[in-house]
Amino acid sequence: PKVRRAKQFICTISDDRGEEATYAGHPISSVATPDTGFGIGDVISLLWFKKRYPKWATDYIETVMKTVADHGPAVSGAHNCKVTARAGKDVISSLVTGLLTIGPRFGGAIDDAARYFKYANDNGMSPSEFISYMKKEGKPISGIGHRIKSVRNPDLRVSGLKKFAAENFPATPLLDFALEVEKLTTSKKDNLILNVDGTIGILMVDMWRALGYSEEEIDGFIDAGALNAFFVVGRSIGFIGHILDEKRLGMPMYRHPMDDILYNVEKAEEL
Ligand code: ACO
Ligand code: LMR
């Protein structure tokens, strides 16, 4: 009898063995050519979640990607990309230096915002109990706070996402909870708003619940880091823009002004 060799890799998302490769069973030509009704949101839902989502959900995904594509040259990631491009490095090298800044403070708070707000909501915490819980954990609340945006200088990206959800989502229970939390945090400090990372992550949970996923499946997406991935793909568009901008402008190598550095070096102690 024929002995089957154990496979070293398993793939459940795409198949390139036939005449034409498929994305979760859909031939690329049926996805990629105009007028077949597939947008980039559909490509993501097929390749990341192996399902074809309804239009309101793929429109949400696309709205997220467009919303996070760039936020100017001064933010951590764009800054790194610009410095690296000016050191003469190629697009890929420059891009990854920007991507590496995406994390708990910048752009990569989406998974944790979803995780902690969902945990609070699943366990019936009130908004003030949630704030005390995070304080006890010694953690800033992921998805809350912004360097320059505040109640008086609102983040219109957040307003846009909330408007999209109000008009298109069947319900937004986790967003409603997060907005109650925001009322309390902003009463303490003006800039402790529900930020763009928080809004995206929380609305993804509301989206997945409305699509019929189980709580375990949603927790699995969060644990896998699927939510930060939306920021990674979206912001790559802007990072590449900044890198091409540097190349186009032919900017010289960057050196940080020394008068902007506090030099505070003592002679090393002899041991
Ligand atoms: N939860 C609780 N308290 C907070 C939070 C938070 N998320 N953010 C700031 N604070 C408090 C700080 O404890 C500090 O309090 P203190 O003055 O009593 O010491 C005060 O607010 C100022 O804190 P800073 O860290 O100086 O605030 P800053 O404006 O520099 O930070 C940041 C902005 C990094 C976004 C911060 O709010 C944060 O860590 N938030 C959570 C992570 C997050 O959501 N990041 C995504 C931002 S959106 C994006 O990057 C696309
Ligand atoms: C961003 O989208 O990069 C930000 O919200 C961070 C910032 O400070 O603007």
Side-chain angles (χ1 to χ4, degrees):
K2 219 173 170 190
V3 179
R4 277 197 173 214
R5 192 161 56 85
K7 307 290 187 191
Q8 308 210 50
F9 282 100
I10 300 172
C11 173
T12 72
I13 62 164
S14 57
D15 191 336
D16 58 332
R17 290 170 303 175
E19 198 185 348
E20 187 181 12
T22 58
Y23 299 163
H26 293 265
I28 293 179
S29 58
S30 75
V31 173
T33 47
D35 305 326
T36 54
F38 288 81
I40 202 75
D42 296 274
V43 174
I44 288 177
S45 79
L46 290 176
L47 288 174
W48 291 9
F49 309 114
K50 306 199 300 177
K51 297 264 192 294
R52 181 107 197 258
Y53 285 179
K55 186 152 165 49
W56 68 267
T58 55
D59 279 349
Y60 174 60
I61 291 174
E62 291 181 13
T63 301
V64 165
M65 314 288 268
K66 289 190 272 185
T67 300
V68 301
D70 193 36
H71 209 232
V75 305
S76 308
H79 176 87
N80 264 16
C81 288
K82 287 172 81 67
V83 170
T84 311
R86 289 179 61 165
K89 300 295 296 267
D90 59 284
V91 172
I92 296 171
S93 307
S94 304
L95 174 62
V96 297
T97 66
L99 294 178
L100 288 171
T101 66
I102 298 175
R105 292 183 180 156
F106 166 66
I110 309 182
D111 284 298
D112 271 352
R115 185 190 325 278
Y116 284 108
F117 279 89
K118 182 176 181 301
Y119 176 80
N121 202 225
D122 286 352
N123 288 282
M125 288 184 203
S126 68
S128 65
E129 284 167 346
F130 174 49
I131 293 170
S132 308
Y133 169 80
M134 293 303 287
K135 211 176 210 158
K136 252 188 255 135
E137 292 281 295
K139 288 191 177 125
I141 305 171
S142 302
I144 292 283
H146 200 276
R147 255 302 157 85
I148 59 171
K149 296 294 176 187
S150 66
V151 174
R152 272 168 300 154
N153 173 28
D155 191 333
L156 297 183
R157 298 172 297 177
V158 171
S159 319
L161 291 166
K162 287 197 292 201
K163 182 167 182 287
F164 181 93
E167 288 170 1
N168 296 283
F169 278 43
T172 57
L174 198 58
L175 177 67
D176 301 342
F177 173 72
L179 293 175
E180 293 302 314
V181 173
E182 182 192 40
K183 274 189 200 152
L184 298 180
T185 53
T186 49
S187 71
K188 285 185 195 144
K189 209 161 174 273
D190 192 47
N191 72 330
L192 295 183
I193 54 163
L194 179 65
N195 62 38
V196 71
D197 277 16
T199 311
I200 290 169
I202 284 155
L203 281 175
M204 285 286 174
V205 174
D206 280 330
M207 177 191 81
W208 280 322
R209 283 181 169 159
L211 292 176
Y213 283 101
S214 69
E215 297 304 311
E216 292 69 33
E217 284 172 310
I218 298 174
D219 290 341
F221 295 150
I222 295 171
D223 289 342
L227 292 149
N228 286 346
F230 287 102
F231 192 93
V232 170
V233 174
R235 189 55 63 93
S236 290
I237 299 171
F239 286 169
I240 292 169
H242 287 290
I243 297 161
L244 296 178
D245 207 27
E246 291 294 351
K247 307 266 177 213
R248 185 164 44 230
L249 294 165
M251 296 296 281
M253 191 173 80
Y254 179 78
R255 196 176 199 279
H256 198 76
M258 290 159 81
D259 63 5
D260 188 38
I261 296 170
L262 171 66
Y263 291 92
N264 186 17
V265 187
E266 285 172 11
K267 188 160 186 204
E269 193 185 342
E270 301 279 341
L271 297 182

